[in-house]
Amino acid sequence: MTKEKLAFEIIERLKREYPDAGCTLDYDDAWKLLVSVRLAAQCTDARVNVVVEKLYRKFPDVDALAAASPEEIEEIVRPCGLGRSKARDISACMRMIKEQYGGKVPDDFDALLKLPGVGRKSANLIMGDVFGKPAIVTDTHCIRLTNRMGLVDGIREPKKVEMALWKIIPPQEGSDFCHRLVYHGREVCTARTKPHCDRCCLADICPKIGVEV
């Protein structure tokens, strides 16, 4: 089976298994997703969703957060870990959005990459979830599972994984596919325990069934 055919079959099966899969970070505006994805580094989405509620009560919009000092932000976001660097990035990012983009998150990938604290993973998440544009989010689940499934071959660098997947994943499927990988990676194809291959919807086509990758 070619990688393209394998990718198509995996996409279709994961659609059936997780029809409603979406971003597990809570947000109702693009800037909030930017904040949350920065806080999610080395932190669970569940904890981020709790912390941002307090953050937005005190700083309810871009202007308020842009005017806040990094120290004020850090005091609230500290439970997410790496509080100082995350607060510094959030502060600088919101100021840049206010001053250069009129308070609106840009819908251009390269412009997103210029925002403080925003890398390719975050930019792709914004492009896919907020603006509905083609996106591939290479988080830890995506990297681990696509290697196990044989869609990429021993590649660990996020950008290289992303570039490899662009060649075989239809653009319109990329964003939802990556969300489904998160669900599958948490529930079945786990990282900290042996994968539950016995209840995996991909078991008969996965080339690395039972293999630790």
Side-chain angles (χ1 to χ4, degrees):
M1 188 183 299
T2 65
K3 279 186 168 57
E4 288 81 3
K5 289 183 178 179
L6 179 61
F8 175 81
E9 185 63 27
I10 290 172
I11 288 169
E12 292 305 305
R13 293 191 187 192
L14 291 181
K15 278 184 182 179
R16 294 193 293 269
E17 195 76 5
Y18 311 101
D20 302 317
C23 183
T24 51
L25 292 167
D26 295 337
Y27 70 97
D28 57 14
D29 208 318
W31 68 270
K32 290 184 178 180
L33 183 54
L34 270 179
V35 170
S36 289
V37 74
R38 180 65 187 95
L39 292 176
Q42 299 183 40
C43 181
T44 65
D45 289 358
R47 174 168 291 183
V48 171
N49 289 337
V50 172
V51 170
V52 294
E53 288 185 9
K54 183 177 180 181
L55 183 68
Y56 300 150
R57 280 198 298 270
K58 188 168 184 179
F59 307 111
D61 52 38
V62 171
D63 287 352
L65 204 50
S69 69
E71 291 75 20
E72 290 177 296
I73 298 171
E74 181 185 357
E75 184 178 348
I76 298 173
V77 305
R78 190 176 292 116
C80 293
L82 305 174
R84 182 171 298 178
S85 62
K86 290 179 179 180
R88 184 175 61 245
D89 285 342
I90 290 169
S91 175
C93 182
M94 294 302 112
R95 288 200 306 271
M96 191 169 175
I97 290 173
K98 177 184 178 182
E99 294 166 4
Q100 296 190 22
Y101 299 103
K104 300 293 184 181
V105 175
D107 62 353
D108 176 80
F109 188 80
D110 291 331
L112 287 169
L113 289 179
K114 294 178 182 178
L115 296 173
V118 177
R120 296 188 67 87
K121 182 179 75 172
S122 303
N124 269 300
L125 185 64
I126 296 293
M127 293 297 286
D129 276 42
V130 176
F131 299 116
K133 296 186 178 183
I136 290 178
V137 181
T138 50
D139 62 7
T140 57
H141 292 289
C142 177
I143 294 169
R144 186 178 77 256
L145 268 63
T146 54
N147 272 280
R148 281 180 174 172
M149 295 170 178
L151 296 179
V152 298
D153 301 313
I155 306 173
R156 295 291 182 270
E157 185 180 326
K159 184 177 180 180
K160 289 183 179 179
V161 172
E162 180 191 336
M163 294 301 105
L165 292 177
W166 277 121
K167 297 176 182 178
I168 59 174
I169 303 296
Q172 71 276 12
E173 299 285 358
S175 182
D176 288 341
F177 171 64
C178 292
H179 285 317
R180 292 185 174 105
L181 289 179
V182 172
Y183 280 67
H184 197 63
R186 289 175 177 171
E187 297 177 16
V188 179
C189 200
T190 52
R192 296 185 179 181
T193 65
K194 186 177 180 180
H196 303 289
C197 300
D198 57 315
R199 53 185 174 89
C200 177
C201 64
L202 307 172
D204 61 311
I205 58 171
C206 180
K208 297 180 179 176
I209 182 168
V211 177
E212 292 298 331
V213 177

